[in-house]
Amino acid sequence: MTRTGNSRRTFIAGAAATAGGLSAAGSLAAPAEAATGTTAATPRAAAAGARRVAVLGGGVAGLTAAHELAERGYAVTVYERRALGGKARSMDVPGSARGGRRPLPAEHGFRFIPGIYHNLPDTMRRIPFPGNANGVWDNLVAPREMMFARAAGREDLRAPIPWPDHSPAELTPDELRRALTGILQSLVRLPLHETAYFVDRALVFLTSCDERRNEQWERTPWWEFTRAARMSSEYQRILAIGVTRNIVATKAEEASTRTVGTLGEAFVFNLLGRGADGPPDRILNLPTNEAWIDPWETHLRSLGVEFAIGWTVREVRYGDGRVSGVLVEDPAGAVRTVTADHYVSALPVEHARRTWSPALRAADPMLGRCDLLQTDWMTGIQFYLTERAPLVHGHLNCIDSPWSLTAIQQAEHWPSRDFPADYGDGAAVDCLSVDISEWDKPGILYGKTAKQCTREEVAREVWAQLKASLNDTGKTLLSDGKLHSWFLDPGVDGIGTPHPTNQDQLLIHPTGTFHNRPSAGTRIPNFFLSGDYVSVDIDLATMEGANASARAAVNSLLDRDGSSAPRCTVRRLYRAPEVESAKRHDLWRYRLGLRNVFDVG
């Protein structure tokens, strides 16, 4: 799933953070925004009397909406309670700077921008960056390999990422079968009969028509689809639990097969060189704000976008068949009403739905279905090291770790910066950024879940689980003596108490979720939804989904406004033409109540 190597923007509304060694009532008019037609449209500044748009939320969805609208001549104001960039931002570790250096970079969790993305990379190409012909997009770099780190003395599995020299083959069902079998046998080392069975299940999904995917497979858990209960613990750990928990961040017993299969399909095509914007794995060559968010803010300001940072959205009000205004709280705590011609709600779903008034919900029952969408915790911690650890030149997945840890060493991918010279006190030479995907299972050090641990205990436990996965075959790759300090996302609070909270949760995808996702346009004529929970082609909580939904929201706004501006391009996930005939055949079988032709049970 969607995660990229990035660092976070300094908190403006002040979030408390921890960094330590493991050893120790007025009315306010909102400015309007302009819209640029296609992604290649020429930007134009908002003219006097331009239509005004209030964008509620400054994450990837909100900034994308602002970008597209401003290019099309609308006057836009973005209201953001903390800092621009949302979960994608980078942030400073408080008190970590010494000797004129900048603070150590930290983040909500590492991110990656795979080649299956097209809408987000298009936006990145349109954000100027000094010295880059393709703007921020040129700051993407491709790690050379990945690793599945095993515990209990089992050898870690390394895999090179075959790009750009890979030559794609003809995508016949037989070629797909051979490709998947080879990948799984080389990476996973499963019994041959289980490998063959999983490949057959993959072919069932690949050749399933959209109706079967949207109905049958959306209501089938991945655990059941893959027949995991019948298989070995290795099969369950890697292909059922590992795929869903570490990538989709949903339990295998609950995860929608439609969601898991759709992303898996896209990644297979990416590996085969089909429909790709670039390599399967890409990260940024600097902390995220330096490489992307700060240049984006600068560019949007040049287009006339205004930003209200530290403003909290409290309620979207409804009257006379429209949104009549938005109740906000300014940085001083004063309550105001923001008015505009149009409103784009770009808050994460768990925050957005709290702002929808009863009258607004009554005007569009679709909003009420969003209450059925579920979120979970997937949050990052960074470990700063005084020596580079010889782990892997890319992402590693600790598939046996109780807390489902994934990680990447970041400094080697930041070639234009000398990490120790520019950041912190000069002693830290690398940042091992780790995502914790499982917060409700006991760990190996304290026997407690992550939510039950204090911040210090979480750091110690994660460090212990990393060492258990990486130091178990006779080599000490991570040692306590190399640990400089750590930083846990400040959005997590109250852990170790009966009431833990997380300001930045992740939308998860249990069965049936697809049918509860709203469209970008609502029944309220001046109200639109943008965010990774909105229904778009990429059915997963990702920055690509956030970006695509913002484009869809802007297109809906342009239609409602009767605008002649070009519409935003919204790219779908790649579909291999060779498979379409099999899908058409499956549509006939599905409507007759028959199984997919490859589905032998």
Side-chain angles (χ1 to χ4, degrees):
M1 146 171 148
T2 109
R3 279 87 212 233
T4 39
N6 53 23
S7 46
R8 293 255 149 65
R9 182 183 185 81
T10 305
F11 274 25
I12 297 179
T18 299
L22 276 181
S23 57
S27 178
L28 185 70
E33 49 196 86
T36 51
T38 65
T39 53
T42 302
R44 54 192 177 91
R51 302 281 280 172
R52 298 173 298 116
V53 183
V55 175
L56 314 178
V60 171
L63 294 179
T64 303
H67 194 156
E68 299 292 346
L69 286 164
E71 285 188 345
R72 289 160 175 79
Y74 284 79
V76 185
T77 299
V78 176
Y79 295 87
E80 167 57 45
R81 70 185 177 93
R82 292 188 306 181
L84 300 179
K87 289 191 287 286
R89 76 194 185 282
S90 55
M91 63 189 85
D92 297 339
V93 176
S96 63
R98 299 287 188 279
R101 299 178 185 86
R102 64 186 67 198
L104 288 168
E107 58 198 356
H108 163 74
F110 70 79
R111 315 248 141 228
F112 81 102
I113 303 174
I116 68 171
Y117 290 4
H118 289 278
N119 298 293
L120 184 68
D122 171 74
T123 296
M124 297 178 83
R125 288 183 176 93
R126 293 153 51 206
I127 304 170
F129 192 91
N132 288 359
N134 298 298
V136 162
W137 186 86
D138 282 342
N139 291 337
L140 294 175
V141 295
R144 292 178 288 163
E145 59 182 345
M146 64 180 295
M147 181 171 75
F148 296 93
R150 307 306 306 268
R154 284 176 286 186
E155 190 62 40
D156 299 331
L157 306 177
R158 290 175 177 266
I161 299 175
W163 198 274
D165 297 326
H166 178 74
S167 179
E170 182 74 6
L171 290 181
T172 63
D174 182 63
E175 185 60 31
L176 286 167
R177 184 192 303 274
R178 292 176 56 192
L180 285 167
T181 302
I183 292 169
L184 290 172
Q185 286 184 347
S186 62
L187 296 185
V188 179
R189 303 178 186 178
L190 290 170
L192 286 177
H193 72 280
E194 293 191 351
T195 299
Y197 186 80
F198 184 82
V199 169
D200 280 337
R201 300 312 292 165
L203 278 174
V204 169
F205 187 86
L206 286 171
T207 58
S208 288
C209 64
D210 288 345
E211 286 188 23
R212 191 185 298 276
R213 292 185 182 198
N214 295 345
E215 297 300 329
Q216 183 178 358
W217 301 142
E218 172 60 22
R219 303 184 190 283
T220 302
W222 182 249
W223 182 269
E224 179 183 326
F225 178 80
T226 58
R227 308 296 193 267
R230 308 178 188 176
M231 303 299 181
S232 66
S233 59
E234 195 83 347
Y235 180 102
Q236 295 173 356
R237 191 70 180 138
I238 298 170
L239 297 177
I241 298 172
V243 167
T244 55
R245 197 61 189 163
N246 290 338
I247 299 176
V248 187
T250 308
K251 295 177 176 63
E253 296 85 349
E254 303 173 356
S256 158
T257 292
R258 181 191 187 278
T259 298
V260 179
T262 297
L263 267 292
E265 175 185 32
F267 276 111
V268 168
F269 287 145
N270 195 175
L271 285 166
L272 294 175
R274 290 296 189 92
D277 179 81
D281 190 0
R282 295 179 299 188
I283 62 176
L284 290 164
N285 63 2
L286 287 169
T288 306
N289 272 41
E290 295 181 46
W292 175 23
I293 303 301
D294 289 345
W296 202 1
E297 177 185 356
T298 299
H299 181 57
L300 294 183
R301 289 186 184 277
S302 76
L303 294 177
V305 175
E306 297 186 2
F307 296 95
I309 309 298
W311 294 63
T312 302
V313 178
R314 295 302 185 191
E315 183 181 358
V316 181
R317 294 187 160 176
Y318 178 83
D320 298 326
R322 308 170 58 83
V323 170
S324 57
V326 176
L327 203 66
V328 299
E329 185 178 314
D330 70 15
V335 177
R336 301 166 178 262
T337 299
V338 167
T339 59
D341 297 303
H342 299 284
Y343 304 82
V344 177
S345 178
L347 299 170
V349 66
E350 68 273 21
H351 298 297
R353 58 194 176 197
R354 293 200 296 261
T355 70
W356 299 338
S357 64
L360 189 76
R361 287 169 171 263
D364 190 347
M366 179 184 69
L367 299 177
R369 297 193 67 83
C370 292
D371 293 339
L372 300 175
L373 298 176
Q374 300 177 38
T375 59
D376 203 348
W377 292 30
M378 187 174 189
T379 303
I381 183 171
Q382 288 79 54
F383 296 97
Y384 304 96
L385 309 178
T386 57
E387 293 181 31
R388 295 274 175 92
L391 303 181
V392 64
H393 300 291
H395 289 94
L396 65 93
N397 186 332
C398 300
I399 59 178
D400 297 318
S401 57
W403 289 1
S404 297
L405 306 179
T406 51
I408 189 168
Q409 291 173 271
Q410 293 182 318
E412 69 171 291
H413 304 290
W414 296 342
S416 56
R417 288 280 186 210
D418 185 64
F419 191 86
D422 283 356
Y423 299 96
D425 59 5
V429 302
D430 205 354
C431 173
L432 180 60
S433 188
V434 185
D435 275 356
I436 307 169
S437 296
E438 176 58 77
W439 285 76
D440 295 304
K441 287 187 178 179
I444 64 174
L445 199 59
Y446 299 105
K448 298 191 293 187
T449 70
K451 291 177 183 176
Q452 293 171 333
C453 290
T454 64
R455 300 180 74 84
E456 291 75 15
E457 288 172 338
V458 166
R460 293 178 184 273
E461 178 70 58
V462 172
W463 186 250
Q465 291 187 30
L466 288 170
K467 290 192 295 182
S469 293
L470 297 167
N471 294 350
D472 61 320
T473 55
K475 294 182 180 180
T476 303
L477 303 181
L478 287 182
S479 66
D480 294 346
K482 295 179 181 178
L483 183 59
H484 175 274
S485 56
W486 56 269
F487 179 92
L488 177 61
D489 180 17
V492 172
D493 195 17
I495 54 175
T497 76
H499 304 290
T501 61
N502 188 339
Q503 295 186 56
D504 299 296
Q505 298 192 37
L506 182 71
L507 180 73
I508 60 173
H509 301 268
T511 56
T513 298
F514 171 73
H515 300 289
N516 295 323
R517 294 175 68 129
S519 60
T522 73
R523 294 186 183 183
I524 299 99
N526 65 338
F527 186 62
F528 310 89
L529 303 179
S530 172
D532 61 12
Y533 66 98
V534 174
S535 181
V536 291
D537 191 52
I538 185 166
D539 182 30
L540 188 68
T542 58
M543 295 187 296
E544 175 76 350
N547 185 279
S549 72
R551 292 165 179 249
V554 170
N555 286 345
S556 182
L557 187 154
L558 296 174
D559 291 344
R560 298 275 179 85
D561 218 23
S563 172
S564 61
R567 271 39 178 179
C568 307
T569 299
V570 185
R571 290 278 301 273
R572 303 188 67 183
L573 288 171
Y574 177 74
R575 294 186 171 219
E578 298 94 331
V579 185
E580 290 306 306
S581 62
K583 290 181 178 179
R584 288 193 296 270
H585 178 69
D586 186 60
L587 176 60
W588 173 78
R589 294 181 62 87
Y590 180 70
R591 290 178 176 176
L592 289 176
L594 301 174
R595 289 182 173 186
N596 179 279
V597 69
F598 292 104
D599 194 351
V600 296

